[in-house]
Amino acid sequence: MTRLKISAAILSLLIAASIVSGVWVNVSCGRLISAADEVAELYDGGSRAEAVESARALEQEWESFRRTAAVLVKSDRLSEVDRICTRISYYAENERDELVPELIELHHILEQLRDGETPMITTVL
């Protein structure tokens, strides 16, 4: 009976950790998507200096997210976002036309990451 209780406790702990990490990734991706949309709006609106500051803030927020997410999410799912985030502040500073398409791509990739990590019964068990 003791083994059964220990097994149930371990299983419950794993399920709880999976749900908490999935929710954290979901919320963090939502913040990153909002930040990317803000950079695009500022850049399209002509506020180039504010867009550069928002792009730098987005890059810092991504680096903060990536440190923890590297433990929870497969690395290949983060590499594409990493590639795009490293170029966003450069594009904003140099007023490159590629900024808005990169931000749209970032938005879609982050949505895929968020949807892939959303806790569901099939992903938890």
Side-chain angles (χ1 to χ4, degrees):
M1 190 66 174
T2 303
R3 289 182 188 165
L4 183 63
K5 290 178 184 177
I6 292 173
S7 298
I10 290 172
L11 184 60
S12 299
L13 182 65
L14 288 173
I15 291 172
S18 175
I19 291 171
V20 168
S21 67
V23 170
W24 177 80
V25 168
N26 193 342
V27 170
S28 297
C29 284
R31 282 196 315 249
L32 289 167
I33 289 170
S34 297
D37 291 344
E38 179 184 347
V39 173
E41 288 174 13
L42 290 171
Y43 191 79
D44 282 341
S47 303
R48 305 299 166 124
E50 292 177 18
V52 170
E53 290 302 317
S54 292
R56 288 182 184 149
L58 172 63
E59 189 174 358
Q60 289 175 352
E61 190 170 341
W62 166 252
E63 288 300 323
S64 174
F65 170 75
R66 188 178 189 355
R67 275 186 236 117
T68 306
V71 176
L72 303 172
V73 180
K74 288 177 62 176
S75 177
D76 61 334
R77 299 191 72 195
L78 301 175
S79 61
E80 188 69 20
V81 179
D82 200 29
R83 181 187 61 81
I84 293 171
C85 282
T86 56
R87 294 188 302 210
I88 287 178
S89 61
Y90 171 77
Y91 286 165
E93 289 170 3
N94 296 314
E95 298 183 8
R96 303 279 303 256
D97 293 335
E98 296 93 349
L99 177 64
V100 175
E102 289 285 329
L103 288 169
I104 292 170
E105 184 180 359
L106 177 64
H107 182 101
H108 291 300
I109 292 172
L110 286 171
E111 281 183 350
Q112 288 177 342
L113 178 64
R114 180 176 61 182
D115 292 343
E117 296 300 318
T118 301
M120 297 181 157
I121 195 69
T122 56
T123 60
V124 174
L125 295 178

